[in-house]
Amino acid sequence: LVTVAGKGMMGVPGIAARTFRAVHAAGLSVSTIFQASSESSIGFTLPESDSAAARHALRRALKEELAAGLIDDVTSRSGVSVIAVVGNGMAGTPGIAARVFSALAAGGVNVIAIAQGSSEMNISFVVNSSDAPEAARRVHAAFQLSKRGGGSPAATDGTDVVLLGFGGVGRALARQISSRGRGHGLRAVALLDRSGCLFDAAGVSNRRLRELAARKGKGASLVGLGGLPISSREALAQVSEHAVSRPVLVDVTAEDTTELLLEALAQGFDLVLANKQPLAGSLRGYRRLVATAAALGRQIRFEATVGAGLPILDTQHKLAEAGDRILRIEGCVSGTLGYVLSAVSQGRPFSKALGEARERGYCEPDPREDLSGRDAARKGLILARLLGYAGPSPRAESLVPARLRPLPRGRFLERLPSLDRAWQRRVSTLAARGKVPRYVVRVTASRVDAGLRAVDRSSPLGSLEGTRNLVLFKTRRYSSEPLVISGPGAGVELTASGILNDLLALTRG
Amino acid sequence: LVTVAGKGMMGVPGIAARTFRAVHAAGLSVSTIFQASSESSIGFTLPESDSAAARHALRRALKEELAAGLIDDVTSRSGVSVIAVVGNGMAGTPGIAARVFSALAAGGVNVIAIAQGSSEMNISFVVNSSDAPEAARRVHAAFQLSKRGGGSPAATDGTDVVLLGFGGVGRALARQISSRGRGHGLRAVALLDRSGCLFDAAGVSNRRLRELAARKGKGASLVGLGGLPISSREALAQVSEHAVSRPVLVDVTAEDTTELLLEALAQGFDLVLANKQPLAGSLRGYRRLVATAAALGRQIRFEATVGAGLPILDTQHKLAEAGDRILRIEGCVSGTLGYVLSAVSQGRPFSKALGEARERGYCEPDPREDLSGRDAARKGLILARLLGYAGPSPRAESLVPARLRPLPRGRFLERLPSLDRAWQRRVSTLAARGKVPRYVVRVTASRVDAGLRAVDRSSPLGSLEGTRNLVLFKTRRYSSEPLVISGPGAGVELTASGILNDLLALTRG
């Protein structure tokens, strides 16, 4: 980069002409010219091997101006590179320069000189050669040039959703997204189920999204509805070959998807989970997810894993963010156990209460899974890990006596009434002390447990009824009285709302 | 803007030289040169009156290349302007070009050509003359050139806080901000009280902020601590003359500050309020605030006005954002009335319960203010207006019988025991029906009221104890069971936390 500079150049006509004549006379070819309107300098680039000759030629041609002090000096800077951003679609499109230079600024790349030719189809800039690969990579990424459908001059600011799992929650989310109407920033681009993947880089239309949800709800598979029979891994790879805008993978499965989620992070996806498994599995898996996201500047949100749509993790985050210290979290986070225990506390036999819960569809096929407390313990572990808990997975106290655990399901159900008397005794002993039994998870930064507790009848946990969830936060500021969030903590619509709030939070920032 | 263009120019040496020689020979002076590295065009600007002469001279000088098809044409574009961004601090500072072109892109200004001279102290660009004033204004604003301390080449991304009111809540907020440590994005730049304003454009240090809070807490005024004895309006004007970063005015007064807030919006401030008056005053004033903020692209947040630090407005916002429809909000939002009524429900005489509340500092100097229910009604009105309610301010049912309202305070307090019998009767009548009295605000989009209600003892409102607040949302998705937020809803630390969460939300986006 050769520069002719001098405050005295201003208003002296012909310096540009003399400069380029001299360079041309020396048999040198100029690539890019840089001159800003102050006219106090004019620069151009040429191959490094020609720079000494150019300097020499210019000093000779401009020796009178140099002697008179009109020009301060003719200098050259080596080790620089010119990068050109070229495209026919650039002309007349505002914002291209902003994207180019914002991408460079985000990488801390210093721009030495800029030229956008008046054809508007080319922006060239000079950077140190050591910054050139990073600069090229950043601009490349900003326009997604390596992707199919990339290179669009129009900036897109929406969020593209890839939905992993198209069961009840996935379909409720699809309906909620589709009912937002156009231009609200969220667009479904891919749906995945066990059969395969339905992908549309242009976005699945709202109408089609509703139709797919309805037909899948009636038993069709995504492959049957036009998808490709490929694995989730293959599907992610396919999506990430295309130019998508701020892609988010939403995991509504109930499997250990850790490896797939790690790949998605590496491919540039943010993550929203309703799936507890990857968060409440091994500490090593959890930490890999969190550390990988942090290293790649990606986000993971999972409000819906605890309390469905209730703002529990969000409240935990806001307390911490405002400088409060969370001392203890307690909660009833199993709707099924809540229903059974509040009925039992009101005098209903245990077997009846569980029978009602089964009739109402609150239970897993084998209700021992609900009674095991494992699901509540997983939610406790998720809350605890957000507080920094690094211990082992909590043991959940099971409400199924050891002798009934090995039985076949039918035999277990027959034997249920044999538990009623013990429950009745337990409840009346507690009632005499003003207490009721509740299945409670208790969480601190150093401890998590899940089990049956006797709580005051008039306390927030004790006055809980039916399937409602309740989580209370004791903090430095909420020390004498806790902050309490409660409400229904399950169901496909509410779980989908929790996911949608996470997606919208990602879209904002 | 004259352009010599042609695909055949590439690799043909000397075209730049011949171009500028011809222009020079015609006695014309070039201001800015634009050539991108593709070399397929070279452009320059000169006064509009010279463009025909330049075109003519160039067509003659380059006639062989034109004839040979190496150059397609020599064209000129009129009605364009060159804008130059000049500064010594620009060299070596990454991100300047990004700020310039992002400001232009935000205004939809199309950039026709760019030149950044290799001195790095000047970026010039060409726009249509019709866009030039807007372009200049945008770049001006991006660097705050009209402000004292403006023009910094380093972009600042923090939030500068102006605190209107330095009482208990203001000081708690000052302590909470100061304990966040440096580099957390929040900086107090001005503190205002009735005496005047203490302003430091460089930001009040955390240490000094703590010291000011401590000394003001002991009775000093801000003027006594080094501030200027000026009005809040003068103080705002002074702050807005300086280059501040994303300024926010935090209103922790209890006065009608509507006019001042409108001025602050016009001066570029976002607003965070713990002050209910401007939000629960006239509908006209409220609408002016909301409409002015929307028109200017400013934000107003006021979580702390209802329930202090409890995430009530945030939850209301998230429900709506996720596409849920809020059908009804109900709440106990007066800690004082909650305390008195839960004590009365447990059999304590009304006069005793109120006496305890006064001893514990829950009451205003004249407890009839608390018993009037006006504060609860104001909170209800704030919730209702967020739902679109446009009706009159709600009447609050007062717990002070009409005959006791005109008495002097001392006489009123003496006569309190005369109310005990009626309360006792009321409570036992309700208890027989399984109900308890609560002071409830009920809110829909078309109706707000505040008054004494009989609620089921086991309902969320009925099981509330002490000063705890509780707000429940019945929505389309939370229809059979509400979403409930409860906890302490007052106190300086918790109110300050609510403000801090609002400030951090503004900082994020």
Side-chain angles (χ1 to χ4, degrees):
Chain A
L1 177 59
V2 175
T3 304
V4 179
K7 287 271 183 280
M9 284 168 69
M10 272 193 218
V12 177
I15 297 222
R18 303 250 304 285
T19 296
F20 294 112
R21 194 161 54 202
V23 174
H24 178 47
L28 304 172
S29 181
V30 160
S31 81
T32 312
I33 299 169
F34 302 91
Q35 186 216 24
S37 58
S38 69
E39 302 175 66
S40 66
S41 79
I42 182 163
F44 55 85
T45 49
L46 39 53
E48 196 137 355
S49 53
D50 291 343
S51 76
R55 232 167 37 230
H56 186 69
L58 285 168
R59 283 192 181 136
R60 201 167 47 199
L62 299 167
K63 65 173 183 289
E64 283 171 29
E65 286 83 353
L66 281 161
L70 292 174
I71 292 174
D72 296 335
D73 203 359
V74 177
T75 55
S76 69
R77 179 166 177 164
S78 57
V80 299
S81 300
V82 178
I83 295 181
V85 180
V86 185
N88 282 325
M90 291 165 64
T93 309
I96 303 263
R99 272 164 87 192
V100 169
F101 296 111
S102 296
L104 297 173
V109 174
N110 188 46
V111 176
I112 297 166
I114 302 171
Q116 177 188 305
S118 47
S119 69
E120 294 184 56
M121 290 185 290
N122 185 318
I123 296 176
S124 305
F125 55 90
V126 178
V127 296
N128 280 322
S129 294
S130 58
D131 287 339
E134 176 70 3
R137 205 186 61 72
R138 293 243 167 209
V139 175
H140 225 256
F143 291 87
Q144 304 202 57
L145 294 178
S146 63
K147 305 291 180 85
R148 290 192 218 168
S152 164
T156 46
D157 53 1
T159 294
D160 284 347
V161 176
V162 172
L163 192 48
L164 179 64
F166 204 45
V169 171
R171 295 196 298 271
L173 179 64
R175 283 191 302 268
Q176 289 183 18
I177 289 175
S178 74
S179 68
R180 294 171 60 74
R182 282 184 175 206
H184 279 73
L186 289 184
R187 202 172 66 146
V189 295
L191 310 171
L192 283 74
D193 69 4
R194 278 178 222 278
S195 77
C197 170
L198 196 149
F199 170 56
D200 185 342
V204 179
S205 76
N206 286 337
R207 177 188 221 149
R208 177 132 172 76
L209 201 52
R210 275 192 297 271
E211 184 196 314
L212 289 168
R215 293 181 61 187
K216 166 94 187 184
K218 288 181 188 146
S221 74
L222 283 171
V223 166
L225 295 167
L228 291 175
I230 54 177
S231 71
S232 300
R233 180 156 302 176
E234 288 164 332
L236 272 194
Q238 191 186 50
V239 172
S240 66
E241 273 171 21
H242 288 75
V244 286
S245 165
R246 212 193 255 261
V248 181
L249 181 69
V250 175
D251 180 355
V252 293
T253 68
E255 288 150 34
D256 183 357
T257 50
T258 309
E259 294 303 323
L260 192 70
L261 299 179
L262 287 167
E263 273 187 42
L265 289 171
Q267 284 163 351
F269 286 83
D270 290 324
L271 303 180
V272 172
L273 279 69
N275 178 8
K276 289 183 279 292
Q277 299 285 350
L279 303 166
S282 77
L283 181 63
R284 187 166 162 276
Y286 175 78
R287 286 193 164 163
R288 277 173 74 206
L289 277 175
V290 172
T292 304
L296 297 170
R298 302 264 66 87
Q299 292 191 64
I300 309 183
R301 300 184 71 102
F302 41 91
E303 180 66 89
T305 57
V306 183
L310 300 175
I312 291 171
L313 302 191
D314 195 49
T315 297
Q316 180 166 359
H317 175 74
K318 288 179 78 175
L319 289 167
E321 188 183 51
D324 203 353
R325 195 149 59 84
I326 295 172
L327 305 172
R328 186 186 187 82
I329 303 173
E330 288 183 13
C332 288
V333 290
S334 161
T336 315
L337 293 176
Y339 181 87
V340 170
L341 292 176
S342 76
V344 164
S345 306
Q346 287 162 7
R348 208 114 76 257
F350 182 81
S351 58
K352 282 256 162 54
L354 189 64
E356 285 166 22
R358 292 185 67 217
E359 279 162 29
R360 291 170 180 230
Y362 301 155
C363 289
E364 299 292 324
D366 187 332
R368 283 175 291 191
E369 178 56 31
D370 301 289
L371 296 173
S372 75
R374 277 194 287 265
D375 187 61
R378 274 195 284 267
K379 292 173 183 169
L381 182 58
I382 290 173
L383 291 166
R385 284 178 170 168
L386 286 173
L387 291 184
Y389 173 76
S393 296
R395 290 271 301 268
E397 178 184 354
S398 174
L399 302 189
V400 184
R403 65 194 148 86
L404 300 187
R405 287 178 207 165
L407 299 183
R409 187 176 65 152
R411 288 289 309 283
F412 165 73
L413 293 174
E414 282 165 22
R415 296 280 300 277
L416 268 177
S418 71
L419 301 175
D420 290 348
R421 253 240 307 268
W423 274 105
Q424 202 174 12
R425 262 202 309 271
R426 184 181 285 169
V427 166
S428 50
T429 311
L430 291 175
R433 293 161 46 208
K435 299 204 181 264
V436 287
R438 291 289 182 264
Y439 199 89
V440 179
V441 292
R442 299 186 301 194
V443 171
T444 70
S446 58
R447 205 188 139 88
V448 203
D449 60 32
L452 205 59
R453 311 284 165 222
V455 303
D456 285 341
R457 176 178 281 285
S458 63
S459 69
L461 288 172
S463 40
L464 201 61
E465 294 194 332
T467 57
R468 293 174 65 81
N469 281 199
L470 185 148
V471 172
L472 61 83
F473 296 89
K474 292 191 180 172
T475 73
R476 200 162 48 75
R477 292 182 193 145
Y478 291 98
S479 55
S480 55
E481 290 282 346
L483 188 165
V484 178
I485 312 280
S486 77
V492 296
E493 288 296 330
L494 296 177
T495 304
S497 308
I499 295 171
L500 191 50
N501 281 135
D502 275 349
L503 282 170
L504 294 170
L506 286 180
T507 302
R508 271 195 300 275
Chain B
L1 175 60
V2 176
T3 304
V4 178
K7 289 269 182 280
M9 285 167 69
M10 274 194 216
V12 177
I15 298 223
R18 303 248 305 286
T19 296
F20 293 110
R21 192 161 55 202
V23 174
H24 178 49
L28 305 172
S29 180
V30 161
S31 80
T32 312
I33 298 168
F34 302 92
Q35 186 217 22
S37 58
S38 68
E39 302 173 68
S40 67
S41 79
I42 181 164
F44 55 86
T45 50
L46 39 53
E48 196 136 354
S49 54
D50 292 343
S51 75
R55 233 167 36 231
H56 186 70
L58 286 168
R59 285 193 180 137
R60 203 170 44 202
L62 300 169
K63 66 172 181 290
E64 282 170 28
E65 287 84 354
L66 281 160
L70 293 174
I71 292 175
D72 295 335
D73 203 358
V74 177
T75 55
S76 68
R77 178 165 178 165
S78 55
V80 300
S81 299
V82 178
I83 295 180
V85 179
V86 184
N88 281 324
M90 289 165 66
T93 309
I96 304 262
R99 271 163 87 192
V100 169
F101 295 111
S102 296
L104 297 173
V109 173
N110 188 46
V111 177
I112 298 166
I114 302 171
Q116 178 189 302
S118 47
S119 68
E120 292 185 59
M121 291 184 289
N122 185 317
I123 297 176
S124 305
F125 55 90
V126 177
V127 296
N128 280 323
S129 294
S130 58
D131 287 339
E134 176 70 4
R137 204 187 61 72
R138 293 246 166 207
V139 176
H140 225 255
F143 290 87
Q144 303 201 58
L145 293 177
S146 63
K147 305 289 181 85
R148 290 192 219 169
S152 164
T156 46
D157 54 1
T159 295
D160 284 348
V161 177
V162 172
L163 192 50
L164 179 65
F166 204 45
V169 171
R171 296 195 298 271
L173 179 63
R175 285 191 301 270
Q176 289 183 17
I177 289 175
S178 73
S179 68
R180 294 171 60 76
R182 281 181 177 210
H184 278 75
L186 289 184
R187 201 172 65 145
V189 294
L191 310 171
L192 284 73
D193 68 5
R194 278 176 223 278
S195 78
C197 170
L198 197 149
F199 170 56
D200 185 343
V204 179
S205 75
N206 286 337
R207 177 186 221 153
R208 179 134 172 72
L209 201 54
R210 275 192 296 271
E211 184 194 314
L212 289 168
R215 294 181 61 187
K216 166 93 188 186
K218 288 180 184 145
S221 73
L222 283 170
V223 166
L225 295 168
L228 291 174
I230 54 178
S231 71
S232 299
R233 180 156 303 176
E234 288 165 333
L236 272 194
Q238 191 186 49
V239 172
S240 67
E241 274 171 21
H242 288 76
V244 286
S245 164
R246 211 194 256 260
V248 182
L249 180 69
V250 176
D251 180 355
V252 292
T253 69
E255 288 150 34
D256 183 357
T257 50
T258 309
E259 295 303 323
L260 192 70
L261 299 180
L262 287 167
E263 274 187 41
L265 289 171
Q267 285 163 351
F269 285 83
D270 289 323
L271 303 180
V272 173
L273 280 70
N275 179 9
K276 288 184 281 291
Q277 299 285 349
L279 303 167
S282 76
L283 180 63
R284 188 168 161 273
Y286 175 78
R287 286 193 163 163
R288 276 174 75 206
L289 277 176
V290 172
T292 305
L296 297 170
R298 300 265 66 86
Q299 293 191 64
I300 309 182
R301 300 184 70 102
F302 40 90
E303 180 67 89
T305 57
V306 183
L310 299 175
I312 292 171
L313 303 191
D314 196 48
T315 298
Q316 180 165 359
H317 175 74
K318 288 178 78 176
L319 289 168
E321 189 183 51
D324 203 353
R325 194 150 59 87
I326 296 172
L327 305 173
R328 185 185 188 84
I329 303 173
E330 288 183 13
C332 288
V333 290
S334 161
T336 315
L337 292 176
Y339 181 86
V340 171
L341 292 176
S342 76
V344 164
S345 306
Q346 286 162 7
R348 208 115 76 258
F350 183 80
S351 59
K352 282 256 162 56
L354 188 64
E356 284 167 22
R358 292 185 66 216
E359 278 163 28
R360 291 171 180 230
Y362 300 154
C363 289
E364 299 292 323
D366 186 333
R368 282 174 292 190
E369 178 57 30
D370 301 289
L371 296 174
S372 75
R374 277 194 287 266
D375 187 60
R378 273 196 285 267
K379 292 173 184 170
L381 182 57
I382 290 173
L383 291 167
R385 283 178 170 168
L386 287 173
L387 292 185
Y389 173 76
S393 295
R395 289 270 302 268
E397 178 184 354
S398 175
L399 302 189
V400 184
R403 64 194 150 85
L404 299 188
R405 287 178 206 164
L407 299 182
R409 185 175 66 153
R411 288 290 307 283
F412 165 72
L413 293 174
E414 281 166 22
R415 297 278 298 279
L416 269 177
S418 71
L419 301 176
D420 291 347
R421 255 242 303 270
W423 274 105
Q424 203 174 10
R425 263 202 308 269
R426 183 182 284 170
V427 165
S428 49
T429 311
L430 291 176
R433 292 161 47 209
K435 301 209 180 254
V436 288
R438 291 289 182 263
Y439 199 88
V440 179
V441 293
R442 300 185 300 193
V443 172
T444 70
S446 58
R447 204 186 140 91
V448 203
D449 61 32
L452 206 58
R453 311 284 164 220
V455 302
D456 285 341
R457 176 178 282 286
S458 63
S459 68
L461 288 171
S463 42
L464 201 61
E465 294 195 332
T467 58
R468 293 173 65 82
N469 281 198
L470 185 148
V471 172
L472 60 83
F473 296 89
K474 292 191 181 174
T475 74
R476 201 163 48 75
R477 291 181 194 145
Y478 291 99
S479 55
S480 55
E481 290 282 345
L483 188 165
V484 178
I485 312 280
S486 77
V492 296
E493 287 296 331
L494 296 178
T495 305
S497 308
I499 296 170
L500 191 49
N501 281 135
D502 275 349
L503 282 170
L504 293 170
L506 286 180
T507 303
R508 271 195 300 276

